[in-house]
Amino acid sequence: ASTTKSASLDGKFYALPYMYYSWGMFYRKDLFEKAGVKAEPKNWAEFTDACKKLKAAGIALHWETQQLEDTLALRAQDQLPVLRIVQESLTNALKHAKAKTITLRVGHTDAELDVRIEDDGQGFDVDSALAQATGKGLSSLGKRARVLGGQLQISSSDRGSMVWLRVPLGVQRPS
């Protein structure tokens, strides 16, 4: 059975594949509670209800995904770091940038997984923030990308920020 059917509605995908048999969705208790979502969604109805509450709180989440395969040529040990980069980027957009619109774009070619998280938040000085990073959050994004053999770009302006992750697919690296 296809996992894409359980993570889509009207042809739009609302999840990110992070293991060959599972999908991950963003959930951060403290941020969701601020928007009136009191518990982690357990089914599709609760998930769509949570989305409505986020929208009512003024937060618009846009998912733009091309048709993703049930399995990508991404090693099992690389899948969780990709998910963590997405989660940290979403957390930063909500918590620090105070973004009202966040767009997650996920696509791939035969050679590369392409993930972009863009927001309309208040922006920040990337070089200064990275220089002051203490090992968690923003600095962990780059470390995770390097472990993946991927490339990470972070850009920001007064109109928002973008985190762009590119991870090679089908590449054999030491475990």
Side-chain angles (χ1 to χ4, degrees):
S2 172
T3 56
T4 57
K5 289 180 184 175
S6 65
S8 64
L9 179 65
D10 299 329
K12 294 182 180 179
F13 295 93
Y14 295 92
L16 177 70
Y18 76 96
M19 298 189 81
Y20 70 92
Y21 59 85
S22 189
W23 291 71
M25 297 189 187
F26 174 76
Y27 177 76
R28 173 85 186 264
K29 185 177 181 178
D30 61 326
L31 296 176
F32 274 54
E33 284 180 348
K34 282 183 183 178
V37 179
K38 300 300 180 196
E40 180 178 353
K42 304 273 189 274
N43 55 48
W44 189 251
E46 290 178 9
F47 176 72
T48 56
D49 183 58
C51 291
K52 288 176 188 173
K53 288 179 181 177
L54 289 169
K55 188 174 182 178
I59 301 168
L61 304 172
H62 299 279
W63 296 72
E64 297 178 11
T65 59
Q66 73 179 59
Q67 179 66 39
L68 296 171
E69 315 300 322
D70 282 344
T71 58
L72 294 173
L74 189 63
R75 298 179 323 158
Q77 63 265 38
D78 291 344
Q79 294 162 5
L80 187 58
V82 169
L83 178 64
R84 294 293 186 241
I85 289 170
V86 170
Q87 288 174 326
E88 182 62 32
S89 299
L90 291 171
T91 297
N92 289 343
L94 290 168
K95 188 174 184 178
H96 302 297
K98 298 178 178 37
K100 292 297 183 187
T101 303
I102 303 169
T103 303
L104 172 64
R105 291 184 171 93
V106 181
H108 69 91
T109 64
D110 289 340
E112 183 176 85
L113 175 67
D114 185 312
V115 180
R116 295 179 200 213
I117 302 95
E118 300 176 50
D119 70 63
D120 66 352
Q122 59 192 12
F124 64 102
D125 181 322
V126 175
D127 293 331
S128 176
L130 287 171
Q132 296 173 10
T134 60
K136 292 188 176 187
L138 195 58
S139 67
S140 73
L141 298 177
K143 291 175 186 173
R144 290 180 196 274
R146 284 190 296 280
V147 167
L148 293 165
Q151 297 177 353
L152 183 80
Q153 290 180 300
I154 302 172
S155 59
S156 189
S157 73
D158 60 349
R159 292 178 291 148
S161 301
M162 180 180 71
V163 175
W164 183 13
L165 173 66
R166 293 182 310 233
V167 179
L169 295 173
V171 174
Q172 295 299 317
R173 293 184 303 280
S175 297

